[in-house]
Amino acid sequence: MAERHIPYYSLKKLFSFFNGVTVLSGMILIGLSIYVNFRGAVLTKVLGRSSAYLFHVGYLCLVMGSVTVLLGFARWHGAAKESRGTLLFCFLVMVIILIVQITAATVVLAFFPVVQEVALEHNFMTLRKNYRGYKEPDDYSMQWNLVMEKLKCCGVKNYTDFSGSSFERVTGHTYPRCCCKSPGTMDCDGHNVSADVIHQEGCFPKLLKITKTQSANLSGGSLGTAVMQLPGILATLLLFIKLG
């Protein structure tokens, strides 16, 4: 009888360890989603639909991470109570989560080239049409003001994006105040385009770099946590079979 139970108790210890790793992977997904949605992706909002996948996949990671953590505790409970039904349910849900994570990583990697190819011209035209100016209350202008101030850049391609734009027609200025290195100075008059006065480079390359980094974080995080979860999924199946 003792010999028959040794493999079972060894399996339970192995299961407990890998289940802990799985719970850790869920916490990593939660942290990753918070980082992506409330850090770099806040700036890339100005790219519109071109970067919306970052938010969608980020929130998906938040949901999957939360479910993974809850399932981890459920599996510990199922193992302690030797409940095959609980273990089977957790196994099936974790397989679904694993598939979704791999799919999410693939989608993120597939969408980044679309951002690179499509977003530049679209955002250039949208900026020239919709941007109103510094400290304007509309969401679009506020988002671009934040981007230009934080990233120290001007326009999509460069500071000349505002020439002939609706912003210039309304204000008579060739660039907004947030393009200036020191917005409160006299030189920041909307006409002096000296490199000593304004940031002449455009924001798109910097936004693209952030998007690339966030895409790599999401895809790498999703695939990495999927690898972490696989042994726990297999251990759950083995324990389910052993209890049969």
Side-chain angles (χ1 to χ4, degrees):
M1 180 70 68
E3 292 181 357
R4 189 167 67 96
H5 282 148
I6 290 175
Y8 169 71
Y9 289 118
S10 298
L11 179 58
K12 283 194 71 173
K13 290 180 180 179
L14 195 65
F15 164 83
S16 183
F17 171 76
F18 284 127
N19 193 46
V21 174
T22 301
V23 171
L24 177 62
S25 74
M27 294 179 178
I28 291 174
L29 275 178
I30 294 172
L32 179 64
S33 66
I34 293 173
Y35 172 77
V36 168
N37 282 354
F38 298 101
R39 296 277 296 188
V42 173
L43 295 177
T44 57
K45 274 184 179 180
V46 295
L47 297 178
R49 294 180 181 178
S50 301
S51 65
Y53 73 95
L54 287 175
F55 282 98
H56 298 326
V57 176
Y59 284 120
L60 180 61
C61 286
L62 179 61
V63 173
M64 291 190 298
S66 301
V67 173
T68 299
V69 171
L70 292 175
L71 285 176
F73 290 110
R75 287 191 296 180
W76 270 319
H77 175 77
K81 298 296 183 179
E82 298 187 351
S83 172
R84 297 182 78 239
T86 301
L87 291 174
L88 179 61
F89 171 78
C90 293
F91 168 77
L92 294 176
V93 175
M94 284 305 302
V95 168
I96 293 172
I97 290 177
L98 185 71
I99 294 171
V100 173
Q101 285 179 229
I102 296 173
T103 304
T106 305
V107 168
V108 168
L109 293 175
F111 263 86
F112 179 72
V114 176
V115 175
Q116 194 169 5
E117 294 177 10
V118 177
L120 175 59
E121 197 61 31
H122 170 74
N123 282 276
F124 172 70
M125 297 302 296
T126 305
L127 179 74
R128 290 174 60 82
K129 179 181 178 182
N130 296 335
Y131 182 78
R132 295 182 182 180
Y134 188 61
K135 291 188 177 179
E136 288 294 325
D138 65 293
D139 290 341
Y140 185 81
S141 298
M142 290 174 65
Q143 288 174 6
W144 264 107
N145 289 332
L146 175 65
V147 167
M148 289 188 280
E149 287 179 341
K150 291 288 186 182
L151 300 183
K152 302 185 184 305
C153 53
C154 188
V156 178
K157 299 177 181 179
N158 53 54
Y159 70 97
T160 63
D161 291 354
F162 297 99
S163 298
S165 67
S166 60
F167 166 76
E168 185 185 39
R169 289 194 296 270
V170 172
T171 64
H173 295 161
T174 56
Y175 59 83
R177 187 173 291 274
C178 53
C179 287
C180 295
K181 294 180 178 179
S182 299
T185 62
M186 293 287 292
D187 291 331
C188 182
D189 57 6
H191 300 287
N192 188 340
V193 295
S194 169
D196 294 329
V197 177
I198 67 170
H199 302 288
Q200 295 185 338
E201 68 274 17
C203 298
F204 187 76
K206 296 183 177 183
L207 288 170
L208 195 64
K209 183 178 180 180
I210 294 173
T211 304
K212 184 177 182 179
T213 301
Q214 302 292 37
S215 297
N217 288 339
L218 281 174
S219 58
S222 294
L223 291 176
T225 51
V227 171
M228 291 175 66
Q229 291 164 9
L230 188 57
I233 293 173
L234 295 176
T236 303
L237 178 61
L238 290 175
L239 186 59
F240 169 79
I241 295 172
K242 189 69 177 178
L243 291 172

